[in-house]
Amino acid sequence: MVMPFNRLNRSGRKLATLIAMSLTLGACGGSDTPSSNSSATTSSVAPVASTSSAVSSDASSSSESSVVASSSTAESSTSSLSSTASSAMTNPCITVEGNIAVNGGAEDGLSPWAAQGATAEQTSADAHCGDYSILVSERTAAWNAPLINLSNFVAGETYTFEVWVKMAPGEAIDTLTLTVNYTDDESNANYTGVGSAEASSDEWVKISGSYIHSPMGASSGVYAYVEAMGETSSYYVDDMVILGAEGDNSIIYPEPDPTATGGLAAGDDKFLGNIIAGAVPADFGSLWNQVTPENAGKWGAVESARDFMNWGDLDRAYAYAKVNGMPFKGHTLVWGSQEPAWIGELSNEEQLAEVEQWIQAYCERYDAPADNGFAHLIDVVNEPTNAPASFRDALGGAGETGWDWVIWSYEKAREYCPHATLLINDYNIINDAINGNNTNSTDYETMIGLLNERGLIDGIGFQTHAFSINGVESWNSITAAQIAAELDRFSVFGVPLYISELDIDDEGVNQCERYKALFPTMWEHPSIQGVTLWGYIEGQTWRNDERSGLITADGTEKAAMLWLRDYFNGNPTADCGADT
C-alpha cells in the first residue's frame, strides 16, 4: 500500500514522540472524568462501521458525501459514541503515549492542521488544556471544517479517536461530527463517521470512537476533520488523540504493466508521454512511454500543511514510471502558483530554509540514476516569466544577474538531485513569433543563458497549450514554420528541447487537422527529445469544456487520436476522419 505522508523534523519545533500504544486517552491533567458541575455521562467506545465513498479526493468538493456519511453514522450508532463534558479550561496538557496525531492540540502552531472551506486559526481565547486551541469560523456549508493531516493508516488496523470541541461564544448548541477521509487507489475519496456530540459554548465536550481502516487496495491522503451541522456555526477544536499503528513512508512499487511496451512511439529515440493525475488509466502503457504527474508534484499539493508531506499520488506516478522503464518528469519545485498557503506568512530567512528543505525532501525520495529506460527529469522552475515564485526575494530576488532567484533554485536542485535532468518550463514562448510585443521569450533566453554558462540546465521545456497554439485567435494562430523557427532559436544553447504540455482543443477548430498541421514539426525537430501531452481522456483533462481529450470517456478514439496512430505507423498524410 502507498504510505504517502512524512513529517519533517525541525530544530526548535515540537513534534510528538511516538512510542508504544497507551490504553488510556485523555490529554488534560491525566483524567477525562467530568467535572462536578457537568451533567454529561460517559459511555464505552465502540467501532462505527458506516462508510461512504465519493468520486473526488478534493476536500473542497466533498460536501454532500461527507455530510451524508457523518449524519447517517451519527443516527445509526448513537450507542457507540462517547461524549464527556468538562468545565476545566486551564488544565496542563500531558503527553499521551502512542498518539499519532501530531500537534493535536495546536500548541505548536497550526501545522499539520488545515481547513476545508473555512478559516482555521490557532487561538488563545479558549482551550481545553494548554494555551491554545483551533477556532473555526467563516463557514458557509456543513462540510466546512478544520482537518488534521495524518500519516497513512495501516489496512485492517483499528484506530481509537478522541477530540474535544466547544461552540464559540454566542453560538447556539450544535451537533459536531468527527470524520475520517482517505483516497483510494482509484482516486476516490472515502468518508467514515467516527463519532458525534452536541456542543455548547458553556463547556468542552469530547467526541470519541473507533475506526477500522478497510481500503480496497491502497490508500493515501488520510485526514480527519470536525464538521458542524450548522452551516455557519463557529467552534473550537482541541486535543486530538489517535491511537493505532502508524504506517511507514516507503514507496510501494506495482507489478510491471504488461501493456507498457513503448506506446505509440515504440522504437523512437525520443519519448511521447502523458500525465498521470491519480489512478493510472488502464490503457496508459499501451499509448505512452513517459510520465509527468499533473498536480501531485507541485509543492502546494505535497506540503499543504507545513512539515507534513503528502507523497501519495506522486509516489503512484513515479512508481509506475520506474517499474515500467519510462522517463519520469517531476513537476515542479519552484513556481508562483500552487504554492503552500503558509509560505507567505514566513520571514525571508524562514522561506529560504523551507524551499531548500522542500527541494531536498523531493530529491531524496525520487532522484535515482537512469536505468532500463527510466530517467529522472524535473521542472526546477516553472513559468518564471509568467508566474514567478512569490518568495523569490528570499532566494536572492533579481540580484546582480536579474534572475538570481532562478540561479539559486538550480544550484540547489543540482546539489540535491545529482542524477536528474534539470529543466525549465514556461508558456507564451513558442508562440512569441506572432506576438511581437511579448517579452516572455526574451526573458526566457536571458535566464537560460545564465543557467547554461553555469552548467545548471540540461533541457528547455515549452508549454504548448491550446490557448497559445489552437489557431482560433490571431495571437494563437501560429504556423508550423513559426514553431520551427522558435525551436531553432533556442537550440543554439546546445541542450535538448522538450514540448512539455501539449493539448489542442476540439472547440472552434478541427482538432485532428490542427494536430496534423503542427505535431510533425514538433516531433521531428532535431533538438526535440520528447513530447508530453497534457491529458488525453475527455472529462479528465484540465480543459474539459474545450474537449482537449483524444479519447472519449467511453473509450472511443477521436479523429486526432486515430491520426496520431497513423502518424507513428508511418502515414503522416493520413486523412482526418470525423469524430463519432
Side-chain angles (χ1 to χ4, degrees):
M1 61 188 288
V2 178
M3 305 300 180
F5 285 105
N6 181 42
R7 292 190 296 278
L8 299 179
N9 292 307
R10 298 254 161 87
S11 59
R13 305 192 67 194
K14 296 187 297 180
L15 291 178
T17 302
L18 303 180
I19 34 185
M21 183 188 301
S22 168
L23 297 178
T24 304
L25 298 184
C28 289
S31 173
D32 63 359
T33 55
S35 61
S36 59
N37 64 348
S38 169
S39 60
T41 59
T42 304
S43 61
S44 61
V45 176
V48 177
S50 174
T51 303
S52 68
S53 298
V55 295
S56 171
S57 60
D58 185 345
S60 65
S61 66
S62 63
S63 58
E64 293 185 7
S65 52
S66 63
V67 171
V68 169
S70 302
S71 299
S72 62
T73 301
E75 291 171 3
S76 63
S77 56
T78 304
S79 62
S80 71
L81 308 180
S82 172
S83 61
T84 305
S86 172
S87 61
M89 296 185 297
T90 57
N91 288 341
C93 295
I94 65 171
T95 300
V96 178
E97 293 184 350
N99 183 12
I100 62 175
V102 177
N103 194 32
E107 295 297 311
D108 189 32
L110 203 58
S111 181
W113 289 91
Q116 54 182 18
T119 296
E121 56 187 321
Q122 182 195 49
T123 180
S124 60
D126 203 344
H128 173 247
C129 73
D131 298 319
Y132 300 101
S133 66
I134 296 170
L135 174 62
V136 188
S137 60
E138 299 182 2
R139 300 172 63 253
T140 58
W143 60 270
N144 293 171
L147 60 87
I148 185 168
N149 291 282
L150 305 172
S151 180
N152 194 32
F153 284 172
V154 177
E157 181 74 12
T158 298
Y159 294 86
T160 304
F161 283 76
E162 169 183 304
V163 66
W164 292 82
V165 296
K166 183 180 181 182
M167 302 306 296
E171 293 286 337
I173 294 174
D174 201 350
T175 299
L176 275 60
T177 300
L178 173 65
T179 302
V180 174
N181 168 267
Y182 71 88
T183 303
D184 63 27
D185 55 7
E186 295 297 326
S187 298
N188 297 319
N190 296 262
Y191 304 89
T192 301
V194 175
S196 297
E198 281 196 349
S200 72
S201 60
D202 295 329
E203 54 191 357
W204 287 89
V205 177
K206 182 175 72 175
I207 302 174
S208 62
S210 294
Y211 162 76
I212 301 175
H213 191 54
S214 304
M216 296 297 292
S219 63
S220 62
V222 181
Y223 61 88
Y225 61 97
V226 179
E227 59 186 340
M229 186 173 295
E231 294 183 345
T232 61
S233 296
S234 297
Y235 49 95
Y236 298 105
V237 176
D238 202 3
D239 297 329
M240 174 77 77
V241 174
I242 306 172
L243 300 181
E246 186 173 29
D248 66 30
N249 194 43
S250 60
I251 299 173
I252 304 300
Y253 294 92
E255 292 296 319
D257 181 353
T259 72
T261 56
L264 298 180
D268 281 282
D269 60 358
K270 55 186 71 176
F271 62 71
L272 179 67
N274 220 303
I275 58 171
I276 291 178
V280 181
D283 59 357
F284 190 94
S286 67
L287 299 174
W288 322 111
N289 60 2
Q290 180 266 334
V291 174
T292 298
E294 183 179 21
N295 289 305
K298 297 168 183 175
W299 190 13
V302 175
E303 196 178 0
S304 61
R306 190 180 181 188
D307 299 343
F308 216 81
M309 315 299 280
N310 180 2
W311 302 115
D313 284 342
L314 188 54
D315 276 357
R316 187 175 292 113
Y318 172 84
Y320 181 85
K322 193 78 162 55
V323 301
N324 290 297
M326 298 181 181
F328 173 82
K329 186 180 75 171
H331 179 75
T332 172
L333 295 180
V334 177
W335 185 29
S337 296
Q338 292 180 255
E339 304 169 341
W342 49 264
I343 193 69
E345 302 170 0
L346 307 181
S347 67
N348 279 3
E349 293 76 13
E350 290 175 311
Q351 288 180 339
L352 181 67
E354 289 287 349
V355 178
E356 183 168 357
Q357 288 163 348
W358 151 239
I359 294 173
Q360 181 179 5
Y362 170 89
C363 292
E364 287 178 350
R365 192 167 186 86
Y366 301 113
D367 193 42
D371 178 48
N372 193 33
F374 167 83
H376 178 214
L377 303 86
I378 177 69
D379 291 330
V380 179
V381 177
N382 194 49
E383 301 179 1
T385 74
N386 288 288
S390 67
F391 47 82
R392 58 191 178 277
D393 285 347
L395 312 186
E400 295 182 358
T401 66
W403 299 97
D404 278 15
W405 68 275
V406 173
I407 294 171
W408 180 93
S409 301
Y410 282 83
E411 289 174 340
K412 293 303 174 184
R414 185 69 85 201
E415 176 183 354
Y416 292 118
C417 274
H419 303 294
T421 298
L422 305 186
L423 308 180
I424 195 167
N425 191 45
D426 213 335
Y427 68 89
N428 280 353
I429 306 298
I430 205 161
N431 62 320
D432 195 44
I434 58 175
N435 296 313
N437 61 349
N438 194 331
T439 63
N440 295 54
S441 62
T442 301
D443 289 341
Y444 210 42
E445 278 183 312
T446 299
M447 71 182 78
I448 290 168
L450 292 167
L451 294 169
N452 200 38
E453 67 187 21
R454 290 165 171 79
L456 293 173
I457 194 167
D458 305 313
I460 303 168
F462 302 92
Q463 295 183 26
T464 50
H465 286 298
F467 59 77
S468 62
I469 67 167
N470 212 48
V472 177
E473 307 289 346
S474 59
W475 50 269
N476 64 25
S477 293
I478 194 167
T479 65
Q482 289 169 327
I483 289 176
E486 289 297 292
L487 296 176
D488 288 343
R489 173 185 174 185
F490 284 90
S491 65
V492 300
F493 289 107
V495 298
L497 309 182
Y498 298 87
I499 301 299
S500 56
E501 303 182 27
L502 171 62
D503 48 39
I504 295 176
D505 295 343
D506 194 8
E507 182 176 81
V509 65
N510 185 308
Q511 183 189 38
C512 180
E513 292 291 353
R514 196 68 176 153
Y515 265 100
K516 185 176 177 179
L518 301 183
F519 184 85
T521 296
M522 299 178 189
W523 182 258
E524 295 168 17
H525 193 279
S527 292
I528 290 291
Q529 295 299 301
V531 175
T532 303
L533 277 66
W534 210 251
Y536 67 102
I537 302 173
E538 286 197 339
Q540 300 179 32
T541 76
W542 77 299
R543 297 181 67 82
N544 286 329
D545 291 344
E546 296 84 2
R547 299 188 66 223
S548 66
L550 299 172
I551 299 176
T552 64
D554 66 5
T556 302
E557 295 189 353
K558 296 170 62 179
M561 186 70 204
L562 294 172
W563 177 84
L564 277 174
R565 285 190 180 277
D566 283 332
Y567 175 80
F568 282 101
N569 284 329
N571 186 16
T573 61
D575 291 337
C576 283
D579 290 331
T580 57

